Amino acid sequence: MIARPIIGAAVAALAIATAIPARAHGPGDDVTPHFEQAIPNIPGKTLTAMIVDYPPGGVSAPHSHADSSFIFVYVLSGDIESKANDGPTQVYRAGESWHEPPAANHLVNRNASKTKPAKLLAVFVADSDEKALTTPIE
């Protein structure tokens, strides 16, 4: 029954994609769902991972994160400029990481380079019933 795992993967990908409103991200980024799994020893929590690709000069729109979501971010390639809440604006290079607390306002998130692409991995631990992991800041 090869169809069952394929259908399950498709449903999981759709669930992740719908949890991230497209308008919370700008034309300067491309968000790809990578992984989603309920955490078996923490009932009611889910681990979700996304890859965010930025072209040269690419920018994410300012957004807030779900009230329950703790986020770990790892720069896979390039340089990412980021600012959450009242923290400083910082540039993180490939191999560096940071975290964001629940309900963070992500005010700056962009490729620090105008000439090279950048890529990051964002890992969320959030309540399983959270419908949107990001919401645009109007």
Side-chain angles (χ1 to χ4, degrees), residues 48-124:
T48 304
M50 291 169 257
I51 304 288
V52 182
D53 286 286
Y54 291 96
V59 176
S60 293
H63 54 275
S64 62
H65 291 292
D67 289 346
S68 69
S69 65
F70 178 85
I71 305 155
F72 169 78
V73 183
Y74 182 81
V75 180
L76 297 168
S77 64
D79 300 331
I80 302 290
E81 187 174 11
S82 184
K83 173 185 175 64
N85 296 329
D86 294 330
T89 300
Q90 293 184 252
V91 175
Y92 299 91
R93 302 190 186 327
E96 296 181 332
S97 62
W98 73 92
H99 71 277
E100 296 176 18
N105 287 318
H106 206 159
L107 305 173
V108 175
N109 204 49
R110 63 178 157 240
N111 185 344
S113 173
K114 303 281 187 214
T115 60
K116 296 178 184 175
K119 181 184 292 195
L120 63 81
L121 170 68
V123 179
F124 293 71

